[in-house]
Amino acid sequence: MSFDFAAVVRWLGGVRLCDHSAVERQARWLLLDTLACIVAGLAYPEPRKLAQRLERTMRGEVRWPGSSAMLSAPAAAAAGATAACWHEGCEGLARAHGRPGLHAVPVAVALGLANRATFDEVLTAILWGYEIGARAGEAMRIRPGAGRPPDEQPAPGDQDLLFATIRSPWTMLLSPLVTDASDFVANR
């Protein structure tokens, strides 16, 4: 699969959402879908407790609906992404092997609220984050053998190093040394 990252960045740099109603509509759906998953996720005790713990050390001006925790933008992004992921109802982009909205929406909304950004600025940030995450996800899957197109299902021989090696922040530095780079499925 050929990937021209510079072309994506050039395209995104020139996008004005008001000129692309279909793109704006999808960004709004992505925002609503992810916000709904954040609210639903915060109904679970674990994400709610995480937000409360983050508030102790990273208090700020951002509060997610369904939570009483007042968080800094980074803490709100972490709590929002965790809550949305916990609920597991978020959008997915199979060809990107994940959910780019989970990376883009909580960060864009949290930073937007903390910096009093306009709605259009937040949607544009979501678009940027989603597109970059989606294209990077598409580019990461490397299938052995010629002519086999990537798909959303992990298979023996997949070499998705980003997903396989980053299991937690604590193991990230050691992961490349202990990851079988030739087989994603075999990694535990």
Side-chain angles (χ1 to χ4, degrees), residues 8-88:
V8 172
V9 171
R10 283 191 302 276
W11 175 77
L12 284 170
V15 167
R16 290 181 16 189
L17 287 177
C18 60
D19 294 338
H20 302 277
S21 61
V23 173
E24 181 179 5
R25 186 171 42 256
Q26 286 303 112
R28 286 173 180 262
W29 277 115
L30 177 64
L31 172 61
L32 287 173
D33 177 58
T34 308
L35 285 176
C37 289
I38 290 170
V39 171
L42 285 168
Y44 292 92
E46 293 88 347
R48 191 171 46 251
K49 287 177 187 173
L50 172 66
Q52 291 165 350
R53 287 184 181 137
L54 286 171
E55 182 182 33
R56 291 182 204 146
T57 57
M58 301 177 76
R59 188 169 177 78
E61 299 179 2
V62 180
R63 184 180 65 80
W64 290 114
S67 173
S68 62
M70 297 298 295
L71 303 168
S72 67
T82 301
C85 208
W86 202 274
H87 184 64
E88 294 188 21

Side-chain angles (χ1 to χ4, degrees), residues 112-134:
L113 289 171
N115 293 295
R116 293 169 176 66
T118 66
F119 186 67
D120 189 57
E121 289 170 329
V122 172
L123 280 182
T124 300
I126 289 169
L127 173 67
W128 269 85
Y130 187 90
E131 286 299 321
I132 290 170

